[in-house]
Amino acid sequence: MARIWYRTFGNCFSIRRLWLFPLLAGFFWFLTLTILLILWLAIGRPQYPGQEKPTIPFISSIAAHQFKPVFIVGCVATGFGYLGTVFAVHYVRYAPQFYGLIDDAPWRQTTSLVALMASFVAAVSLILLSIFDTEDAPARHRQLLMGTFGGLSISAIATVAVWSDQIWGSTRFAGLQKWFIFNTFLVLCEFGTGFAFVILMDEDYFNSSGIFEWCLTYLGSLWLISFVGYTKFREDEDSSFNDEDEQQPLLV
């Protein structure tokens, strides 16, 4: 059971640019949300079916009408970026040339694989829900939305569990502990916001739930970008790596 992750993926991926996955995933998602919001405001803040005088409509309502292509492109880019992000965050933990925890506890390595599989479910569900919108396929859209939230939740919890050793006692990786604390704080904020969103939506408080949905999704973009701190090397001036750099992989 030793070296589960390393036996699965080996040492065949370059770690030099893995930090781009969380950066691009967060950027694409932030950009998608912002474009949808700006376009909705630009056309006069129209009201959509099922929402009476909302301060702001649900994201899926905007995406199901005039701006579906924008949403599809954004979800595809974010979905692939998220899958790459989760892979990168766990790969660097076990990569010999990064954190090098090849002989980490078997349960942590297994949990890393669970996180990766859950991220795949979340990515596929996100892409498909952008295609099956609330206007043409409301039941399927809701199922895919639950699949997205479920995959995101499982992968987030699994990732926190794997890296939880960085919060207890001293850590030998400079800067990693504060990135883990910040990332975990964002996860807790997302769970709290998501819980409020679900409760308000079920109680038909569409105005308040719409606001919470936008807060939740923008928090998600920040959460994704926070993984850059797990995966970025400290580079020297000529962008080459030396032995000392490899021992200090985190931004400080």
Side-chain angles (χ1 to χ4, degrees):
M1 292 295 290
R3 303 192 175 188
I4 299 170
W5 180 279
Y6 189 74
R7 290 207 314 270
T8 303
F9 296 104
N11 191 28
C12 56
F13 293 91
S14 171
I15 43 76
R16 291 172 61 93
R17 298 291 179 262
L18 287 178
W19 61 272
L20 288 173
F21 279 115
L23 180 65
L24 292 176
F27 172 75
F28 285 142
W29 189 233
F30 179 89
L31 185 63
T32 300
L33 297 173
T34 304
I35 290 175
L36 289 175
L37 185 58
I38 291 174
L39 291 176
W40 176 73
L41 292 170
I43 62 174
R45 301 172 63 180
Q47 295 184 20
Y48 299 109
Q51 293 179 270
E52 297 182 3
K53 299 180 180 179
T55 300
I56 187 170
F58 293 125
I59 298 168
S60 55
S61 296
I62 301 177
H65 293 83
Q66 299 96 328
F67 311 119
K68 187 171 181 177
V70 174
F71 192 55
I72 292 176
V73 172
C75 286
V76 170
T78 305
F80 280 105
Y82 181 66
L83 180 60
T85 295
V86 175
F87 173 80
V89 166
H90 292 273
Y91 184 77
V92 296
R93 182 178 178 91
Y94 309 111
Q97 70 273 44
F98 212 98
Y99 295 113
L101 302 176
I102 300 175
D103 295 312
D104 206 0
W107 74 265
R108 292 188 188 276
Q109 298 184 57
T110 302
T111 304
S112 289
L113 294 175
V114 170
L116 185 60
M117 289 186 287
S119 71
F120 177 78
V121 172
V124 172
S125 298
L126 178 64
I127 294 170
L128 291 178
L129 76 81
S130 69
I131 299 171
F132 297 100
D133 57 59
T134 55
E135 184 73 14
D136 298 326
R140 183 167 296 180
H141 180 88
R142 188 178 183 86
Q143 292 169 353
L144 290 167
L145 182 62
M146 293 301 103
T148 303
F149 282 155
L152 287 170
S153 299
I154 293 172
S155 60
I157 293 172
T159 300
V160 169
V162 168
W163 288 95
S164 61
D165 58 342
Q166 297 305 309
I167 203 171
W168 307 115
S170 60
T171 174
R172 60 191 178 94
F173 302 116
L176 178 58
Q177 189 175 63
K178 64 184 179 183
W179 280 108
F180 173 77
I181 293 173
F182 178 58
N183 183 275
T184 304
F185 171 74
L186 291 176
V187 171
L188 294 174
C189 289
E190 287 185 286
F191 272 102
T193 306
F195 181 75
F197 162 66
V198 171
I199 295 298
L200 290 169
M201 187 171 63
D202 286 344
E203 295 296 326
D204 295 334
Y205 292 104
F206 296 124
N207 188 46
S208 299
S209 59
I211 294 173
F212 271 94
E213 184 191 39
W214 283 90
C215 292
L216 175 64
T217 50
Y218 270 113
L219 273 173
S221 65
L222 181 59
W223 174 62
L224 287 169
I225 292 173
S226 71
F227 282 118
V228 171
Y230 288 63
T231 55
K232 183 157 176 31
F233 269 104
R234 180 186 298 149
E235 298 183 349
D236 57 21
E237 293 182 358
D238 61 358
S239 297
S240 62
F241 296 92
N242 54 40
D243 292 338
E244 184 178 0
D245 292 328
E246 292 187 1
Q247 295 301 317
Q248 300 181 24
L250 263 290
L251 291 172
V252 179

